[in-house]
């Protein structure tokens, strides 16, 4: 008890009534809102038999399900196994990494189906959903998983749910501004998912700054096997990223092209990451933190441009640069952000998502501005940028300008939103742990006894620390 | 030796001749039976070139392979990685969980291809197989993996193979009765896979009741990293369950709809599981057992109705309820079953598969009974329930009745079959371990020495227990 | 320092300038070569809109992307997670197994896109790539991952990159000879990938023979959890092998058939592996090494014939035999190869890839020689073996002869290439570790301190071995 008094108020991390209440009330709200609003889209509804005839479709294979379902499943794996396991690198926070990611994503996709549905799939008072909505919901939640990376180990599950509620909402507004008002292309979400998600998370963690975090310094590292668990997350993110960037691109060549560009960018990124990881360490040894994270920057950095005619060598260039930027970020920027700006970024999302996301937005703007009918073909050009209807007169350079505007809007939304949500999360009612118990599963989880004793500082004064 | 005498006969777990004999003889039998019966179906046969022309198909994409192969691979991952790793939560039974699951499933799919083939794909004396048969074989084996969960750690590999042989046979008979005689819909197998598999396994473990199992109590728990391995299984089951429930649905909207319903149900299930896991623990801490298992109940509970017009909010309701039922089951029913009914259910399949399977069957019956032409469309209605030929006159309410009958038949088959097979497995010739060596890989596996010494009670009197 | 003097020259494993230099220079070379040569193929180019009209395609679903992308992703998982995690079985080489596999594969796929592109996709001075090129690049790298298995733990990352550079080159030449000059069928690569890759790797490891390797004997084993990590690799290879063997087969029945044959072969292989693993161990216990590896031999052994009319029972026979051969190989051949032929084969690739690869080549030759128009249908026969143009007059028996020639060519290329590359890798400039530090991540990786101390023999004389 003595030690706690020195650190101000003892923290109440008791979840027994708060967490169930939030989970159950919100789930009831989801049921009611789904009941009022959500219905099957035409291609998932049993009326499709008749729809098919009206649309003159001769085969069931024309159902969007067959164009997108394999990519959807890959994206699904990225959100739940990819992000979940990537964050298990901490020696004593594996349950929280995988489990809380699971919780927030499961809630987030429901709320995202509603929010994005109201903006994009609303017809006659109903939200009509299909496989593309499922992908977009996963995408939206991806931005929350990114933000989670910044505050990993320092928040209660309730704080994560509250953050998810607000972040999904803001994400959907930002996405609507970019895609519908600015008419920006961003299929892989460099701006909407990565830039927005990362700067939102960084702002939140700045607001939640913990001056005494060095008290749990011993738990901020990894152990040998936790690094291997994290590599499962890394590899699934890396392998399936071509699906991520191509999942909602136009049918046909656009999906095909997105996958190729992303594949190339990621391959190049691995080499420059390894190079700089070795170069920046005194003994020339590779650092698992870089391999686990910076190798993925290439996927983030082509998120906007992958479906454009970036070309394979363009992708190699973008991937190479983003691997370097990301690795340098881990070595120099992360310590700087913590010591000078008081931004405690547990997973280094600034290096993996924020900077590569900005690169992605910029590369997208340049690629769009450089587009010509010669490169895309007359019809391909119109289709690629959707220069139809009111956008018929848009030129590539104007499109490039709007793309750039998309970056700025995403940043502003992230900073403003993150500041407000960070303020809400700072309220002393959400049950976050004391600094000395951060990065420790034992606070919110029943942990097998045999390994628990020596790392967990027990709060319970009745129970000795080492039984 | 002294200790063993107290426990009756020392157990002979020597597998050297028994296991190879069973594996090799049965594989030879498979080869002979496949040689006599199994051939490629039309879409996998080289004659397909001509077949295509006869069927007026203009594109190779019409081959069923492209409709179902991605789902098949997802299901395949669920059976081998999903079930295999889900069961690695025990601290010293990881090899057995993954390895025996691998063995029984590899045998089971061969035998299932034959059994199901005789019932469903038999033409002119041959079983004609395609990708749908592979999925169905995986499904059938899924029910064995479920039953394995009840007896995990307490049986020899030979017992598992014997159980697989009988269970696959009974599964196929039950499936034939339901699908062909009762004309029941059960695409995701709430009844045929989960209800049947779980109650079969529970009956077997009841018959194999071990009164002295508390002797291996120290090995019935998990360690930190074994819980993370188990989460790999959980997440792959959770993520790919939409593929499971939609894999053999009709092409087009039915597959699309099944995936959406399952996605929604599973998302809701996570929230109610987390809520009740925290609520039912004195300190409000989350329990990994619940997160690993009860979060999946939502997939089981929409197994029958997912391809129907359950609607997204209906799925949320079903998923929410099943998460609650399953978590409550782990806290209250599992101890009750063990102490009062002598049902030792290692993985708690009663909570994950039996009760949610029943819910799934009931929800399916209700959804079928409530179907109207208005909701499904005239053609969609007939297609969804296959009300053609002799079933042309069936009404939804009659269909609902038959669906309910399907539950009862599955239960009866499970109890009767489980009792018989349990009796066979009780014979003292299969090489199961003594109670004190249950849940211990060292009995049937060569285990790396460094960690073995302190947990494995050696049988060899020449070798001291702790070298 | 004393100890090192006894073993000759102390080894300089300092990577700080060498590894970054190689990675960066080579990546720049890739960018330049991609810039000069690589462009999108027709189906990934924005001109596809016009192309579609010219080709009279009515639907985007006809894009090759939809025929092959799901299989591509499965293959991608096999290369990065499958091979990567399969090799994590060593207790202290998990980072190297997953990380170096990641590095060499990421470089290899870029170089393979170029090499294979020049041979197979070169048109008007440009290499035109699509999803099939991505699969082929992954395949090519697969042969490097196989060779990596033989030298696992004994080489520096630079040696691996040098080997990758040469092996990808030789692979592409060999593949060109087989597929284009001999007109051989080898969709799953029994000859081009497995036979070539394995004998290449075995030759390299023979040249790099380390007489004092017993000094690191304590690190050549596994620990309990490293065996479970390796099972992740095993299962993903096993489950996705049907995709591997069918990924580049002709659209339609050929892809369908390849998947079925491979599924059957692998299922049978598991049973015979388990049987012989138990039979060949004195106490009848199963050996994780066999389960992790020999269960996969069935996939290798149908790599050539899977797309032919091998039939399901033929696949069971091939799978059964290859499981036996492979397991026997681990028990008897591997020790023999090491003690008599000085071939130190860390992962036993001789048993998993070399022998089953030869079986695969032979089975392919026999199956081709036995082909008849009756079995394949008139059109199917021509399509299956591509007996068009100059090959119009080829008979099955001649095809069988060419298939056999393909095995011989692959072997000769592997021996000659392996000898030359082994000689290059023997140069004392690449930074490989001393014998006593083989199989130890600490040489090239920053390893979490808590577990490092007791297994890593420190080189730094200033720092005591056990702090």
């Amino acid at each position: 008890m003595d030690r706690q008094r020195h650190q101000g108020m003892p923290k109440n991390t008791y979840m027994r009534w708060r967490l169930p209440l939030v989970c159950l009330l919100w789930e009831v709200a989801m049921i009611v809102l789904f009941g009022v609003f959500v219905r099957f889209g035409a291609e998932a509804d049993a009326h499709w038999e008749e729809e098919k005839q009206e649309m003159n479709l001769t085969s069931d294979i024309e159902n969007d399900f067959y164009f997108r379902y394999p990519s959807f499943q890959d994206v699904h794996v990225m959100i739940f196994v990819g992000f979940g396991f990537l964050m298990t690198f901490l020696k004593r926070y594996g349950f929280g990494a995988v489990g809380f990611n699971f919780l927030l994503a499961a809630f987030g996709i429901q709320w995202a189906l509603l929010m994005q549905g109201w903006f994009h799939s609303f017809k006659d008072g109903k939200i009509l959903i299909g496989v593309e909505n499922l992908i977009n919901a996963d995408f939206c939640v991806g931005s929350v998983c990114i933000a989670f990376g910044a505050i990993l180990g320092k928040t209660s599950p309730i704080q994560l749910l509250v953050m998810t509620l607000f972040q999904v909402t803001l994400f959907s507004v930002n996405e609507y501004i970019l895609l519908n008002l600015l008419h920006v292309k961003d299929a892989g979400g460099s701006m909407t998912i990565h830039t927005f998600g990362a700067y939102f998370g960084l702002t939140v963690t700045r607001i939640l700054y913990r001056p005494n975090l060095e008290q749990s310094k011993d738990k901020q590292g990894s152990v040998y096997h936790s690094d291997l668990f994290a590599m499962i997350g890394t590899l699934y993110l890396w392998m399936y990223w071509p699906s991520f960037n191509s999942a909602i691109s136009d049918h046909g060549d656009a999906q095909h092209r997105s996958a190729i560009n992303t594949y190339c960018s990621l391959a190049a990124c691995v080499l420059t990451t390894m190079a700089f990881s070795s170069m920046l360490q005194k003994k020339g040894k590779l650092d698992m933190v870089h391999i686990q994270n910076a190798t993925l920057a290439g996927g983030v950095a082509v998120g906007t441009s992958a479906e454009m005619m970036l070309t394979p060598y363009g992708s190699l260039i973008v991937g190479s640069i983003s691997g370097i930027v990301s690795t340098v970020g881990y070595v120099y920027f992360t310590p700087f952000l913590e010591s000078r700006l008081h931004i405690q970024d547990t997973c280094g999302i600034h290096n993996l998502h924020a900077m590569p996301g900005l690169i992605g937005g910029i590369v997208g703007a340049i690629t769009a501005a450089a587009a010509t009918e010669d490169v895309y073909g007359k019809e391909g050009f119109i289709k690629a940028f959707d220069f139809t209807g009111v956008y018929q007169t848009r030129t590539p350079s104007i499109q490039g300008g709007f793309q750039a505007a998309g970056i700025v809007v995403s940043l502003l939304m992230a900073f403003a939103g993150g500041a407000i949500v960070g303020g809400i999360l700072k309220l002393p009612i959400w049950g976050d742990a004391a600094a000395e118990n951060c990065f420790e599963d034992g606070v919110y989880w029943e942990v097998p006894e045999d390994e628990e004793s020596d790392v967990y500082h027990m709060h319970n004064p009745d129970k000795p620390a080492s039984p």
Side-chain angles (χ1 to χ4, degrees), chain A residues 373-403:
Chain A
E373 280 197 12
D374 193 44
V375 169
Y376 286 77
K378 200 175 160 58
E379 289 180 54
F381 179 72
I382 293 167
K383 195 182 167 198
F385 296 98
D386 204 11
F387 284 162
T388 55
V390 293
Y391 303 104
Q392 217 168 351
T393 55
R394 256 206 199 172
T395 63
S397 53
I398 294 177
Q399 178 69 23
F402 276 100
Q403 295 281 144

Side-chain angles (χ1 to χ4, degrees), chain A residues 169-232:
Chain A
T169 310
L170 291 163
F171 176 97
S172 304
V173 172
N174 185 51
E175 187 187 43
Y176 178 76
I177 297 173
L178 264 67
L179 302 190
N180 295 52
L181 305 186
L182 301 179
H183 196 67
V184 148
K185 302 299 282 184
D186 194 24
S190 291
M191 296 177 280
T192 52
I193 302 170
H194 299 286
T195 302
F196 171 77
Y199 284 104
F200 181 94
L202 292 166
T203 310
V204 168
T205 198
R206 174 63 191 82
I207 307 276
L208 298 181
Y209 177 63
R210 285 170 176 273
N212 299 314
L213 202 56
E214 79 285 352
Q215 287 175 3
S216 53
K217 204 178 171 65
D218 55 317
K219 282 171 283 179
Q220 286 191 57
S222 62
V223 292
Y224 194 68
H225 280 171
S226 73
D227 270 327
L228 282 177
F229 278 115
M231 278 305 291
I232 296 173

Side-chain angles (χ1 to χ4, degrees), chain A residues 453 456-467:
Chain A
S453 52
Y456 179 38
H457 306 275
M458 300 301 294
H459 272 253
N460 190 341
D462 305 336
K463 200 176 160 188
S466 311

Side-chain angles (χ1 to χ4, degrees), chain A residues 36-38 114-129 133:
Chain A
V36 176
F37 290 111
V38 182
L114 287 165
M115 280 303 303
Q116 295 179 316
W118 283 316
F119 279 123
H120 301 288
S121 311
F122 202 60
K123 208 179 148 188
D124 300 334
K126 299 293 173 199
I127 296 167
L128 302 177
I129 65 172
N133 298 69

Side-chain angles (χ1 to χ4, degrees), chain A residues 51-180:
Chain A
E51 184 92 2
K52 252 193 322 185
Q53 290 166 17
E54 279 169 38
M55 293 173 69
N56 257 326
L57 298 176
T58 54
S59 167
D60 281 318
I61 198 91
E62 296 289 336
N63 195 304
D64 197 36
F65 182 78
Y66 302 104
F67 287 89
R68 305 208 185 275
Y69 189 73
S71 310
F72 157 66
Q73 275 295 1
D74 294 350
V75 171
H76 217 39
V77 171
M78 292 174 73
I79 300 300
F80 290 88
V81 161
F83 281 110
F85 272 88
L86 181 60
M87 297 191 280
T88 57
F89 69 100
L90 290 172
K91 68 179 75 162
R92 289 297 294 173
Y93 207 69
F95 292 7
V98 169
F100 292 153
N101 187 69
F102 196 16
L103 172 63
L104 72 84
F107 166 68
I109 54 179
Q110 297 178 61
W111 180 228
L113 280 176
L114 287 165
M115 280 303 303
Q116 295 179 316
W118 283 316
F119 279 123
H120 301 288
S121 311
F122 202 60
K123 208 179 148 188
D124 300 334
K126 299 293 173 199
I127 296 167
L128 302 177
I129 65 172
V131 65
E132 197 171 336
N133 298 69
L134 306 190
I135 298 171
N136 276 315
D138 272 26
F139 276 3
C140 176
V141 158
S143 89
V144 185
C145 299
I146 292 167
F148 179 31
I151 56 176
L152 184 75
K154 300 173 294 186
T155 44
S156 76
I158 298 180
Q159 284 178 304
L160 295 174
L161 285 170
V162 172
M163 186 178 81
T164 304
L165 180 74
F166 286 106
Q167 193 180 347
V168 166
T169 310
L170 291 163
F171 176 97
S172 304
V173 172
N174 185 51
E175 187 187 43
Y176 178 76
I177 297 173
L178 264 67
L179 302 190
N180 295 52

Side-chain angles (χ1 to χ4, degrees), chain A residues 221-257:
Chain A
S222 62
V223 292
Y224 194 68
H225 280 171
S226 73
D227 270 327
L228 282 177
F229 278 115
M231 278 305 291
I232 296 173
T234 299
L235 287 175
Y236 274 98
L237 288 169
W238 192 90
M239 296 180 303
Y240 286 163
W241 216 295
S243 299
F244 193 92
N245 284 347
S246 67
I248 57 163
S249 289
D250 285 338
H251 292 174
D253 58 291
Q255 281 198 291
H256 203 151
R257 192 162 56 242

